[in-house]
């Protein structure tokens, strides 16, 4: 099988490339990534000399490049490429429409021209909006995105769905909850808090810290995408989540306790605009249809992930470029005041 993985230098994409090469050793994997601030080839150091793996620097908005790369009749495209951080979408919303909506459309159209057999769109539970204190998102929940990021992902989902309805393209959409694990960019909650705690810097918790996310280890997400890629019914959406609901404050307290750091490092700061209160996924469909079950317990996965960041200081120091430092100052400077 020839698989074209876009955004393969990012957090989930790089984990997925390793998952595929490990579990399907005869497959050929092409990593198409534009290498934005979030793309990092260091995350793929252990596969770069694998003869079944090839990196091609590509922007998913570049139709000409995609036409040259996607060989006619290729087996599959799995689209991870995206602007993925909600806070950045509040600072610069249009960048998200360009990459996530237009980029997905250009890629989908190139895949159609090339007669690609399967197109998997890696989407997010955030397209469903926010929940109250009870209930779960199912595949039938209405799309009610609240941030420019989630709106752009919902837009992409609609275009992917339309290509199935209109052109009978074999597509699937996966909608997963929050991922954690190795190689996640330090702008996201868990790595940001681990790294700040290691530096004895304040841990900026938005609002009252009671917002709830439903956490899943990245390897469990990769297994779900692999099952959808091989066995997903054409045109279907699959939710993915492991029933690990935690408040943000609980996450931060667990990190501090694991690292032996004091809770006095926690600082409640101005809330995120339009901050979704709770996400929780009903993953019954993927369990029943495709036999997916997560392997990690949240406690083991979080402990392992914290240790990974402690042991891979070089990786996260390298990605904290000038661009990241500028972003950090813009996002947290006035929130944390002199303590940032
Ligand atoms: P990430 O930000 O770590 O990585 C995104 C990757 O896409 C980077 O390597 C970047 O260089 C690349 N990219 C950006 N624009 C591109 C373009 N125009 N052309 C080619 N490559 C481009 O993101 P992630 O956390 O790994 O998320 C991957 C996908 O999974 C995203 O589509 C995201 O919406 C979705 N998702 C993420 C989570 C999560 O918790 N992280 C959960 C559910 C779904
Ligand atoms: O639900 C899936 C989504 O999960 C993915 O689609 C996104 O790509 C991914 O970034 C993630 O979005 P979130 O906004 O939930 O993740 P983030 O790590 O940015 O924030 C998690 C929670 O922690 C959220 O409620 C905001 C809060 N938070 C985050 C940061 C960075 C803080 O309190 N302080 C912070 O400094």
């Amino acid at each position: 099988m020839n698989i074209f993985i876009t955004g393969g230098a990012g957090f989930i994409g790089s984990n997925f490339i390793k998952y595929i090469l490990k579990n399907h050793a005869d497959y050929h994997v092409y990593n198409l990534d534009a290498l934005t601030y979030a793309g990092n080839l260091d995350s793929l150091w252990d596969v770069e000399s694998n003869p079944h793996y090839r990196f091609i620097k590509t922007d998913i908005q570049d139709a000409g490049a995609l036409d040259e790369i996607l060989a006619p009749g290729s087996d599959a495209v799995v689209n991870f490429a995206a602007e993925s951080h909600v806070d950045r979408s509040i600072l610069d919303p249009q960048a998200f429409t360009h990459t996530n909506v237009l980029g997905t459309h250009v890629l989908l159209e190139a895949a159609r021209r090339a007669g690609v057999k399967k197109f998997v769109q890696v989407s997010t539970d955030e397209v469903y909006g926010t929940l109250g204190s009870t209930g779960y998102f199912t595949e039938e929940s209405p799309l009610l995105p609240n941030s420019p990021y989630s709106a752009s992902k919902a837009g992409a989902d609609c275009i992917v769905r339309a290509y199935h309805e209109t052109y009978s393209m074999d597509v699937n959409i996966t909608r997963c909850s929050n991922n954690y694990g190795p190689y996640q960019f330090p702008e996201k909650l868990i790595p940001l808090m681990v790294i700040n705690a290691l530096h004895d810097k304040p841990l900026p918790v938005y609002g009252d810290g009671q917002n709830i996310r439903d956490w899943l280890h990245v390897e469990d997400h990769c297994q779900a995408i692999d099952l959808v890629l091989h066995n997903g019914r054409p045109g279907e959406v699959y939710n993915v989540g492991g029933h690990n609901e935690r408040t943000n404050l609980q996450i931060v307290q667990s990190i501090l306790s694991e690292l032996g750091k004091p809770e006095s490092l926690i600082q409640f700061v101005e809330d995120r605009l339009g901050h979704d209160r709770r996400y929780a996924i009903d993953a019954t469909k993927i369990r029943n249809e495709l036999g997916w079950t997560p392997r990690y317990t949240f406690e083991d996965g979080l402990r392992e992930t914290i240790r990974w960041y402690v042991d891979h200081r070089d990786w996260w120091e390298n990605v904290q470029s000038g661009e990241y430092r500028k972003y950090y100052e813009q996002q947290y400077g006035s929130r944390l005041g002199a303590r940032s």
Side-chain angles (χ1 to χ4, degrees):
M1 206 169 175
N2 287 330
I3 308 182
F4 294 85
I5 295 172
T6 66
F11 164 47
I12 308 175
S14 60
N15 277 283
F16 186 69
I17 287 173
K18 293 174 207 206
Y19 186 93
I20 290 288
L21 291 170
K22 187 171 160 202
N23 290 283
H24 306 282
D26 54 329
Y27 286 15
H28 289 270
V29 169
Y30 299 88
N31 176 8
L32 314 184
D33 196 297
L35 297 183
T36 68
Y37 79 91
N40 182 3
L41 293 177
D42 286 351
S43 306
L44 293 149
W45 65 272
D46 45 345
V47 297
E48 65 190 11
S49 58
N50 185 323
H52 285 245
Y53 166 74
R54 189 169 158 213
F55 169 69
I56 309 171
K57 188 166 188 256
T58 319
D59 189 322
I60 58 164
Q61 296 179 69
D62 185 345
L66 292 169
D67 281 345
E68 283 179 22
I69 294 165
L70 294 178
S74 297
D75 292 301
V77 168
V78 184
N79 183 27
F80 293 91
E83 290 294 338
S84 69
H85 192 37
V86 174
D87 289 326
R88 287 187 192 252
S89 84
I90 295 166
L91 296 172
D92 181 13
Q94 284 188 36
F96 284 67
T97 310
H98 284 260
T99 298
N100 299 357
V101 184
L102 194 59
T104 300
H105 196 173
V106 170
L107 178 67
L108 191 63
E109 183 57 25
R112 185 169 80 91
R113 275 196 300 276
V116 170
K117 293 180 191 131
K118 173 74 103 180
F119 188 100
V120 179
Q121 171 68 3
V122 181
S123 187
T124 169
D125 60 354
E126 298 199 11
V127 297
Y128 297 123
T130 187
L131 289 165
S133 54
T134 57
Y136 296 92
F137 295 132
T138 72
E139 289 80 359
E140 275 68 52
S141 299
L143 300 186
L144 292 169
N146 291 318
S147 72
Y149 161 70
S150 52
S152 68
K153 294 295 289 186
D157 286 10
C158 291
I159 297 166
V160 172
R161 179 183 178 279
Y163 269 54
H164 174 70
E165 297 296 325
T166 306
Y167 305 114
S168 302
M169 248 179 102
D170 182 350
V171 306
N172 286 116
I173 297 170
T174 60
R175 296 189 180 135
C176 189
S177 57
N178 286 62
N179 282 213
Y180 69 97
Y183 300 109
Q184 185 167 34
F185 195 81
E187 66 193 352
K188 306 284 165 54
L189 180 76
I190 289 177
L192 186 138
M193 297 299 174
V194 171
I195 292 169
N196 280 20
L198 288 172
H199 286 131
D200 296 306
K201 280 171 62 174
L203 273 52
V205 173
Y206 297 160
D208 61 5
Q210 296 306 311
N211 299 65
I212 291 174
R213 297 293 180 263
D214 182 358
W215 295 93
L216 187 74
H217 194 278
V218 65
E219 248 176 65
D220 287 326
H221 187 191
C222 291
Q223 190 215 348
I225 297 168
D226 186 31
L227 287 169
V228 170
L229 170 66
H230 289 92
N231 304 317
R233 282 187 296 128
E236 291 296 311
V237 174
Y238 294 93
N239 283 355
V240 187
H243 288 298
N244 292 308
E245 289 183 51
R246 301 286 187 284
T247 66
N248 295 334
L249 189 58
Q250 285 171 328
I251 298 286
V252 170
Q253 286 168 331
S254 301
I255 291 170
L256 289 170
S257 151
E258 182 63 26
L259 292 172
K261 299 283 183 177
E263 292 202 2
S264 56
L265 285 175
I266 295 174
Q267 195 173 329
F268 291 95
V269 300
E270 187 191 333
D271 208 353
R272 174 185 278 177
L273 297 178
H275 197 177
D276 287 336
R277 193 65 173 167
R278 174 173 169 256
Y279 304 144
I281 279 280
D282 178 343
T284 307
K285 181 174 172 181
I286 192 168
R287 281 174 188 269
N288 289 352
E289 271 192 28
L290 306 182
W292 175 77
T293 42
R295 293 180 185 148
Y296 278 84
T297 64
F298 184 65
E299 286 64 33
D300 288 349
L302 182 63
R303 198 174 311 114
E304 221 177 82
T305 301
I306 294 169
R307 286 294 128 203
W308 188 90
Y309 281 92
V310 170
D311 294 341
H312 292 79
R313 188 175 272 268
D314 281 359
W315 181 85
W316 51 262
E317 280 180 352
N318 282 344
V319 299
Q320 290 180 316
S321 63
E323 190 281 340
Y324 180 66
R325 284 196 292 276
K326 200 169 139 208
Y327 161 76
Y328 191 91
E329 185 50 35
Q330 191 177 5
Q331 178 64 18
Y332 297 102
S334 62
R335 279 182 157 99
L336 288 167
R339 295 182 70 203
S340 72

